[in-house]
Amino acid sequence: MFIIAANWKMNGNSLFAQNYAAKLENFIAENRPLPEIIILPPAPLFSQLKGSFKLGGQNCHALEKGAFTGETSALLLKDMGCEYVLCGHSERREAGETSADVAAKAETAHGTGLKTIICVGEKDGEDFARVVFPQLDKSLPHCATKDNTVIAYEPVWAIGTGRTPTAEDIARCHEQIAEKTGLKVMYGGSVKPENTAEISAIKNVGGLLVGGASLDVDGFINIIQAAKR
Ligand code: PGA
């Protein structure tokens, strides 16, 4: 099924989450069947987000529990109702997370029964294959399967910039990732209502990871409506 995920990053509060969930839930109730919809809020907001959409964490720790102040475990995400966790978002890689860290987190997440969305992508001026192939080799744990892992291809230069690759470039990169991994490949980077129909129709685009444009629930609903089913 096509996946549409809303990555709120470090945004939102309890009132925002409650209003968002209510509006999204109304829309879902009246518009089934829909793609798989996942909300990735800051962890303290999980309890404010009850609905028929799915929940995911933005990150988890590589170990199951312990003395790691400020961290969130995969087990706790599962307990809070999450089905997914994002691993290796470029904003976390930029803060020092390595592909080996990503694989360790994903392995632990799979062990708890969570599915992972593993993010890869090249920076501005970098060569796609030279960066993304090694990222895939090192970030995917051995236990990754079609049932527990989705890749999110996010060219770093497209995140939050309003710039997107051409449809041809997205098609080429997604085809190569799909061929190499056999996994579903979501696209992320400046997805908005206006470019959703074109991007979601590209072969081997199995979903969308939406950041900034997901913070407006009406805009996010427009994206869901514009995407392929
Ligand atoms: P953006 O973010 O949609 O704001 O570009 C995407 C992401 O970082 O996942």
Side-chain angles (χ1 to χ4, degrees):
M1 199 192 294
F2 199 77
I3 299 175
I4 304 183
N7 177 12
W8 288 7
K9 309 191 181 188
M10 199 174 69
N11 296 293
N13 57 28
S14 52
L15 186 60
F16 172 85
Q18 287 158 17
N19 291 337
Y20 196 108
K23 209 154 189 184
L24 185 58
E25 193 55 16
N26 265 343
F27 167 76
I28 292 172
E30 287 165 14
N31 290 277
R32 288 200 170 92
L34 288 167
E36 184 173 5
I37 299 165
I38 309 167
I39 308 297
L40 307 160
L45 292 178
F46 290 131
S47 61
Q48 309 295 318
L49 284 158
K50 296 291 176 237
S52 46
F53 45 83
K54 294 178 175 170
L55 292 177
Q58 296 176 9
N59 177 42
C60 67
H61 198 273
L63 297 178
E64 280 195 3
K65 62 177 178 176
F68 302 105
T69 302
E71 296 285 345
T72 303
S73 72
L75 271 174
L76 180 58
L77 293 179
K78 186 90 170 93
D79 181 55
M80 297 312 289
C82 290
E83 187 169 326
Y84 284 89
V85 61
L86 205 59
C87 294
H89 189 280
S90 67
E91 286 152 15
R92 299 202 56 84
R93 289 181 185 266
E94 191 62 29
E97 198 164 295
T98 65
S99 289
D101 296 332
V102 176
K105 290 176 180 207
E107 187 173 349
T108 301
H110 293 159
T112 70
L114 286 172
K115 297 178 193 170
T116 54
I117 301 173
I118 297 183
C119 303
V120 294
E122 80 285 5
K123 292 185 191 154
D124 213 356
E126 288 182 337
D127 180 68
F128 163 77
R130 264 205 213 147
V131 173
V132 170
F133 285 180
Q135 279 181 341
L136 290 168
D137 286 336
K138 295 183 198 144
S139 305
L140 284 169
H142 293 299
C143 56
T145 67
K146 275 213 303 279
D147 295 327
N148 64 18
T149 308
V150 181
I151 304 294
Y153 170 57
E154 301 199 291
V156 178
W157 54 268
I159 295 176
T161 59
R163 290 166 58 208
T164 53
T166 63
E168 291 72 28
D169 282 343
I170 295 176
R172 182 177 47 81
C173 296
H174 277 243
E175 183 181 7
Q176 291 184 42
I177 296 171
E179 263 178 17
K180 182 172 166 63
T181 63
L183 301 173
K184 181 178 287 195
V185 190
M186 302 167 72
Y187 170 80
S190 294
V191 173
K192 48 187 183 227
E194 300 77 37
N195 60 23
T196 293
E198 184 187 17
I199 294 175
S200 74
I202 299 169
K203 200 171 162 215
N204 290 310
V205 172
L208 302 170
L209 180 52
V210 190
S214 75
L215 290 172
D216 166 29
V217 67
D218 296 314
F220 188 59
I221 287 170
N222 288 337
I223 287 173
I224 297 168
Q225 284 176 310
K228 75 175 168 215
R229 298 288 155 103

